Amino acid sequence: MEGFLLINLKLTRFSMFAWGVLAYNILVILWGALVRASGSGAGCGEHFPLCNGLSIPDLTQRATAIEFIHRMMSGMVLILVIIYFVWSRRVFSKGHRVRLGVFLVVVFTGFEALIGAGLVVFGLTAYNTSEIRALVVALHLTNTLLLTGALTLSAWWISGGSGPRWREARPVKWLLIASLLAMLIISAMGAVTALSDTLFPASSLDEGFHQDIDPSAHILVKLRVIHPVLAILFTMLIVITTWLVRMRSHNLFLRRLAAMTLVMYMAQIGVGVINVILLAPIWMQITHLLVTKLLWITMVLMANEYK
């Protein structure tokens, strides 16, 4: 790992496990997006944790199979996080930042489970068009980003990476915090836009445009324009912050990380444009979310490493 990252990280069994948990969580999050985008959220009915009242349901139905697989994958997350928590307590002493990072992983994983269960139990799945579902979906994605950030930092610290130094409140650090908050806001509204694209699909760009400007359109349709507007508005903040980090740092790894962040953000905007042009097909929505996760990881690491 030293050759590519230009930093000496430890590849122990625990660190490889930590990075593996991060990668697996991203896979589960992407599968969750498939559940939403394919309208499979009600594949197990309103039963939780059972699926249609059964431990092993009839998987011949596409929606049931997709939702059941997601539940099994999510169950494995809980097992992995418990192992992660216990292992961190055995390896690191009280007060170590790794313990805090893994504790946050446990907290955000718990919230993730509660939000997922709430969506099912209260029927906020499949083609439910209520405003409360939009709010919960935005909260859901925000929590997944916070979980991804906690997993990234804990894995980084387990691998020997340094911790943040927030006592030195330089202007750039405040810009980094603002950029992270901006990404959370953009992504939360992106979740609402993706939900709207699923519930109110358009057969053409022209139809989609007329849906957006129709005063009688559903509130979710009216809200979906906010996501691209925010992405454009916050571009200057994120680009300037990343450029300042790259220019002011003498750390070659951090400079490379800043460059990766900038490339990822530009790629994210490009993927978003293509997603709109193609009328948000499922595979493109999942690609958009994947790029969001990778961009978030680079931004979290950049904020952690800037001294």
Side-chain angles (χ1 to χ4, degrees):
M1 195 178 290
E2 181 178 2
F4 174 72
L5 295 177
L6 302 177
I7 191 170
N8 186 21
L9 295 180
K10 301 180 229 176
L11 282 179
T12 63
R13 283 189 302 170
F14 190 27
S15 66
M16 288 188 288
F17 175 81
W19 291 112
V21 174
L22 170 61
Y24 182 73
N25 265 270
I26 292 175
L27 178 62
V28 174
I29 291 168
L30 295 179
W31 193 271
L34 173 62
V35 171
R36 189 264 313 149
S38 64
S40 302
C44 288
E46 294 183 7
H47 299 86
F48 188 88
L50 298 178
C51 184
N52 291 326
L54 303 170
S55 298
I56 306 295
D58 178 9
L59 299 179
T60 58
Q61 297 296 319
R62 175 172 172 267
T64 300
I66 292 175
E67 168 65 5
F68 182 71
I69 290 173
H70 184 244
R71 290 194 183 188
M72 292 298 99
M73 294 173 72
S74 299
M76 180 57 68
V77 167
L78 295 177
I79 295 173
L80 291 174
V81 168
I82 291 172
I83 296 173
Y84 199 19
F85 180 79
V86 174
W87 202 340
S88 69
R89 260 52 186 176
R90 288 176 173 268
V91 175
F92 294 94
S93 59
K94 185 177 180 180
H96 197 283
R97 60 178 174 270
V98 168
R99 283 198 170 198
L100 173 61
V102 176
F103 173 74
L104 290 176
V105 168
V106 173
V107 171
F108 293 133
T109 299
F111 282 146
E112 195 78 348
L114 289 174
I115 295 171
L119 285 169
V120 173
V121 172
F122 294 104
L124 303 175
T125 56
Y127 297 100
N128 180 294
T129 61
S130 64
E131 291 86 347
I132 188 64
R133 184 185 181 187
L135 178 62
V136 175
V137 164
L139 178 63
H140 200 0
L141 185 56
T142 300
N143 190 73
T144 64
L145 285 176
L146 294 175
L147 173 58
T148 302
L151 284 164
T152 299
L153 289 178
S154 57
W156 182 255
W157 296 335
I158 290 168
S159 302
S162 63
R165 296 177 187 170
W166 294 112
R167 292 181 181 178
E168 302 172 18
R170 300 176 186 175
V172 175
K173 289 190 176 180
W174 291 113
L175 287 175
L176 283 165
I177 293 174
S179 296
L180 290 172
L181 291 174
M183 269 300 298
L184 287 174
I185 295 171
I186 294 170
S187 300
M189 291 310 303
V192 176
T193 298
L195 176 63
S196 178
D197 288 337
T198 298
L199 298 176
F200 304 97
S203 59
S204 67
L205 284 174
D206 184 62
E207 181 184 343
F209 174 74
H210 282 89
Q211 285 180 342
D212 293 340
I213 63 175
D214 184 357
S216 64
H218 192 279
I219 184 63
L220 292 182
V221 175
K222 294 178 180 179
L223 287 175
R224 66 185 177 191
V225 70
I226 295 178
H227 172 60
V229 170
L230 287 176
I232 294 172
L233 289 178
F234 283 129
T235 293
M236 190 64 69
L237 168 65
I238 295 174
V239 169
I240 290 177
T241 300
T242 305
W243 181 81
L244 285 174
V245 170
R246 181 172 171 77
M247 292 299 102
R248 294 191 177 188
S249 175
H250 299 293
N251 184 318
L252 191 55
F253 163 69
L254 185 56
R255 289 168 60 85
R256 175 175 287 187
L257 191 60
M260 288 173 59
T261 300
L262 186 58
V263 170
M264 291 297 298
Y265 191 77
M266 293 299 103
Q268 179 71 317
I269 292 178
V271 170
V273 171
I274 295 173
N275 189 47
V276 172
I277 293 174
L278 297 181
L279 304 177
I282 292 177
W283 67 270
M284 201 65 210
Q285 291 185 45
I286 294 175
T287 300
H288 199 17
L289 180 58
L290 174 59
V291 178
T292 297
K293 292 296 178 182
L294 296 177
L295 171 61
W296 177 252
I297 289 172
T298 62
M299 290 181 69
V300 167
L301 286 177
M302 183 172 66
N304 176 78
E305 285 299 301
Y306 187 78
K307 311 301 183 196

